[in-house]
Amino acid sequence: MELFTKLFGSLLVLVYHCFDRIVIHGYLSALTRPEQVVYFFRQVVGVAAVDKEVLSRRTGEYQDWVEAFARNHGTPIEWAEKGVRKEHYVQRWLRSMVRARRYGVYFIFKSMEQGPTFRCTVPKYPTRDPHHRILAPQRSRFTHYYFYIRDEVLGPMAMRVASFFPFQATYYLNGHSFIEQELNRTGVGFRKNDNAFLAVDDAAALQAAADRLSPAIIRARLDYWTLVLGPKFCARERKQINLHRFYAIAQIEYCRNFIFRRHFPIHKIFERSCEVGLWRLTADKISEIFGSRITRQLKGKLSTTLEQIEHGHHVFRAYWKHAFLKQYEKFSTFLRNEVCSNNLADFGLKKGLEHLAAVREKFLQVTERFATFQAQCLNVHVDFPLLQRLALPISVGSAKYPGIKIHDTRMIRLMQVLLHAGAQLGGWRAQQLHDALLMSFGLSAKRYGLNQLRYDLRKMRAHGLLQRDGTRYAYRLTDKGAKVALLFVLFHQRLCGPLANSLFHHRPDANHQPSSKLEAAVHKADVSIRNVIELLEAA
């Protein structure tokens, strides 16, 4: 992270990190198992037979209450339409609440969804107890209510409540909304768009507000809205069975945000980061960033991809188990690195809400390692003495190896394959490398033989660019080798590639005087590249 700030500090306006989207499940711990439900109705409520009618009565009472609540408060209540995003649909009601400076429920959606409930059946054979019923957990499709709330502490949030026993609730929060409420309370000026702060009068106050989001604050607000909007239990029922909800984190996102002064550097940084990530973010690097070791028992994904699904921009993702890192640009000057987890057990963390501080610490380390990796890969374009040293021959013991030159096609191909080493966790054997080279570049074994590859591998190892995997004859790039390979490949793809035809096949006439600025610039670039190659050849 320090290296990233050192490289781009002069271009940055603001850097902050915080929780983004948080999804929390709320369980009625005393009513999650069939035997607990039977005890509740028989011993607390006083119902002899716990059958389908008893459970349906509770559902009907709650549904009637929701309809009455919406009618009494003038709150819109509608069925969710297929293909319509609920968050976008309710925005005009939220804006009305913000303008009026009011808090509370501003919209209710009804949706048919799968959820946990109980199935009640009569025993096949008679029993001593005529009121005995078999209760079994199941998942079925029934009505869920989405309450859209503007909370005075957490800001805009959503609460989904199942209308069937055991009335599981799900809460959708956003850390940026909490920060907004905190800054408004302390009188700190800011500019915010969607879930991103683009400017703030006091950066320290912004970070302090983000760090104040705690389990105690979240639990207090969730308990309040569950009491107001959740299914109703009388005081006697609550007292006898100790009805309270256990809050567990189902999905959580933690982001590190970089706000730049202008759009040009952020676009180039993101473009280069995507290229480097797809080349260099291999399986071992992904596991290193997430702070774990790769084993054969690894469950879930382990890959990188480039998608175009959010905000109309490309999104780079690195998947690991049931979590992933993503990076995307937004609002011209906003760059975000974000880690998202759908199962905290992947990180050795507990899902209880009280463990939120441990989640923050763990995810902060992951985003720091990701930013450091990117900075190391991006910082490969200024060391021209390195190119001169690599071009010189080197002696190792009694053996002497030639230099590695930036225009050596064989070395460029080998480096490019080594950078795509994500599928080889234990390094590449020579035969595997040879097969990959022949297939990737359409070469024949006669044109590029296995002995030629072994010669190139020895040359790279002599220059400290390659290392063996323990005592095995399997090779992987060193840290220096990764930087050199990135430098060579990027140099050829980003600079030499666009000028290759004019440089090697259709060179400009030295006596021709360009009549336009574009032709003059191309002519000048051709001369410069030729000078660089001649200097390297002379070295």
Side-chain angles (χ1 to χ4, degrees):
M1 183 58 201
E2 293 180 0
L3 180 58
F4 192 95
T5 307
K6 182 179 179 181
L7 286 176
F8 308 111
S10 60
L11 305 174
L12 290 170
V13 176
L14 172 66
V15 179
Y16 71 96
H17 52 86
C18 66
F19 286 108
D20 192 35
R21 176 182 169 90
I22 306 176
V23 181
I24 300 173
H25 287 324
Y27 303 95
L28 282 171
S29 303
L31 296 175
T32 55
R33 295 195 296 271
E35 57 269 23
Q36 294 174 323
V37 176
V38 173
Y39 173 83
F40 171 74
F41 280 105
R42 283 193 169 187
Q43 304 299 325
V44 179
V45 180
V47 177
V50 185
D51 52 17
K52 183 177 180 180
E53 288 71 20
V54 173
L55 299 178
S56 299
R57 190 180 307 123
R58 285 274 174 164
T59 296
E61 291 173 355
Y62 180 61
Q63 291 179 344
D64 293 341
W65 181 90
V66 173
E67 296 290 339
F69 176 87
R71 185 170 55 254
N72 295 336
H73 291 81
T75 305
I77 180 170
E78 300 177 7
W79 282 99
E81 296 182 10
K82 186 177 181 179
V84 177
R85 293 197 63 177
K86 301 180 183 68
E87 293 79 7
H88 293 169
Y89 186 83
V90 301
Q91 280 301 308
R92 65 187 184 97
W93 285 276
L94 175 59
R95 288 192 292 267
S96 177
M97 291 282 286
V98 173
R99 287 194 298 268
R101 297 184 179 181
R102 293 189 297 112
Y103 298 98
V105 181
Y106 59 89
F107 201 91
I108 303 175
F109 262 128
K110 295 188 291 184
S111 177
M112 292 293 291
E113 298 178 8
Q114 289 277 347
T117 184
F118 295 101
R119 181 181 68 255
C120 184
T121 57
V122 179
K124 184 176 180 180
Y125 300 102
T127 61
R128 294 180 180 179
D129 183 3
H131 302 296
H132 178 68
R133 299 292 184 271
I134 299 175
L135 228 65
Q138 69 171 6
R139 291 188 65 84
S140 59
R141 186 177 175 85
F142 56 88
T143 304
H144 289 70
Y145 292 99
Y146 283 82
F147 297 92
Y148 285 86
I149 307 164
R150 184 171 183 252
D151 184 72
E152 57 185 353
V153 176
L154 298 178
M157 57 176 287
M159 173 181 171
R160 185 186 71 171
V161 183
S163 62
F164 274 43
F165 228 86
F167 303 114
Q168 180 176 320
T170 305
Y171 312 86
Y172 303 87
L173 320 175
N174 196 293
H176 287 85
S177 300
F178 170 78
I179 299 173
E180 181 180 4
Q181 296 298 112
E182 289 291 295
L183 294 181
N184 285 332
R185 183 176 57 83
T186 55
V188 177
F190 62 89
R191 181 164 59 91
K192 179 175 176 285
N193 194 342
D194 193 19
N195 64 335
F197 288 92
L198 304 180
V200 66
D201 293 343
D202 188 348
L206 172 64
Q207 189 58 60
D211 296 337
R212 280 197 293 271
L213 184 60
S214 65
I217 292 175
I218 297 176
R219 184 180 294 107
R221 303 313 301 167
L222 298 189
D223 285 342
Y224 171 78
W225 287 113
T226 304
L227 179 64
V228 173
L229 302 174
K232 306 307 175 185
F233 297 91
C234 67
R236 179 177 58 84
E237 293 173 347
R238 291 183 175 276
K239 182 178 180 180
Q240 291 188 30
I241 202 171
N242 190 23
L243 285 174
H244 68 279
R245 290 191 181 265
F246 169 74
Y247 297 113
I249 300 172
Q251 184 188 74
I252 191 165
E253 298 176 352
Y254 198 86
C255 59
R256 186 180 293 273
N257 309 287
F258 304 91
I259 294 87
F260 287 76
R261 299 183 186 278
R262 57 185 184 274
H263 176 64
F264 177 75
I266 182 177
H267 182 70
K268 291 300 181 183
I269 291 172
F270 178 68
E271 187 179 79
R272 286 281 302 279
S273 297
C274 290
E275 293 178 353
V276 167
L278 292 174
W279 287 338
R280 183 66 188 123
L281 203 58
T282 56
D284 54 335
K285 285 296 182 181
I286 294 176
S287 62
E288 181 182 333
I289 290 173
F290 279 94
S292 73
R293 297 177 59 186
I294 297 178
T295 63
R296 293 183 181 274
Q297 289 75 31
L298 179 71
K299 296 181 180 179
K301 295 183 178 181
L302 192 61
S303 61
T304 58
T305 183
L306 188 62
E307 302 172 349
Q308 189 175 6
I309 56 177
E310 296 186 16
H311 317 293
H313 294 285
H314 287 86
V315 180
F316 172 77
R317 291 175 183 260
Y319 290 93
W320 177 79
K321 291 188 177 181
H322 302 93
F324 59 87
L325 271 166
K326 65 179 178 180
Q327 183 184 62
Y328 58 88
E329 54 176 325
K330 190 176 182 181
F331 305 129
S332 299
T333 59
F334 188 88
L335 182 68
R336 170 170 289 172
N337 293 346
E338 186 171 71
V339 56
C340 175
S341 173
N342 297 302
N343 186 358
L344 290 177
D346 292 341
F347 297 88
L349 300 171
K350 297 181 179 179
K351 65 179 181 179
L353 182 60
E354 60 273 14
H355 301 287
L356 189 66
V359 175
R360 175 190 279 114
E361 181 180 355
K362 186 74 173 182
F363 284 12
L364 184 60
Q365 294 173 0
V366 174
T367 57
E368 285 182 353
R369 288 193 288 265
F370 183 53
T372 300
F373 164 79
Q374 287 188 312
Q376 290 173 347
C377 292
L378 292 173
N379 188 28
V380 296
H381 56 282
V382 295
D383 194 3
F384 279 99
L386 172 65
L387 300 179
Q388 297 176 355
R389 292 193 299 270
L390 287 173
L392 296 174
I394 187 171
S395 298
V396 179
S398 59
K400 189 173 183 179
Y401 298 92
I404 300 175
K405 299 177 181 176
I406 200 168
H407 59 277
D408 190 339
T409 305
R410 272 171 47 174
M411 298 305 299
I412 294 297
R413 290 171 176 168
L414 177 57
M415 290 178 180
Q416 192 164 351
V417 171
L418 286 169
L419 283 172
H420 291 80
Q424 301 294 333
L425 305 184
W428 288 76
R429 290 186 175 273
Q431 185 62 56
Q432 293 173 330
L433 271 174
H434 189 248
D435 294 340
L437 281 164
L438 297 184
M439 181 180 65
S440 300
F441 298 99
L443 304 176
S444 63
K446 183 177 181 181
R447 182 178 176 186
Y448 186 63
L450 185 59
N451 288 334
Q452 291 175 294
L453 171 63
R454 290 194 175 106
Y455 174 77
D456 293 338
L457 291 175
R458 287 195 297 270
K459 185 164 61 173
M460 289 187 66
R461 191 179 176 195
H463 284 271
L465 309 183
L466 213 61
Q467 62 183 1
R468 281 173 58 181
D469 182 34
T471 58
R472 299 171 60 245
Y473 285 94
Y475 303 92
R476 66 170 70 243
L477 290 170
T478 63
D479 290 340
K480 176 185 176 182
K483 292 181 179 181
V484 170
L486 284 169
L487 175 61
F488 276 46
V489 173
L490 286 174
F491 183 83
H492 275 261
Q493 289 194 353
R494 299 297 299 275
L495 185 59
C496 291
L499 300 176
N501 288 331
S502 64
L503 182 61
F504 297 108
H505 300 289
H506 307 284
R507 296 188 61 195
D509 187 356
N511 298 321
H512 175 67
Q513 297 297 326
S515 58
S516 68
K517 292 183 179 180
L518 178 61
E519 292 180 354
V522 172
H523 189 278
K524 186 177 180 180
D526 181 85
V527 174
S528 300
I529 295 297
R530 171 55 59 184
N531 291 337
V532 170
I533 293 176
E534 289 178 353
L535 288 173
L536 290 173
E537 289 176 345

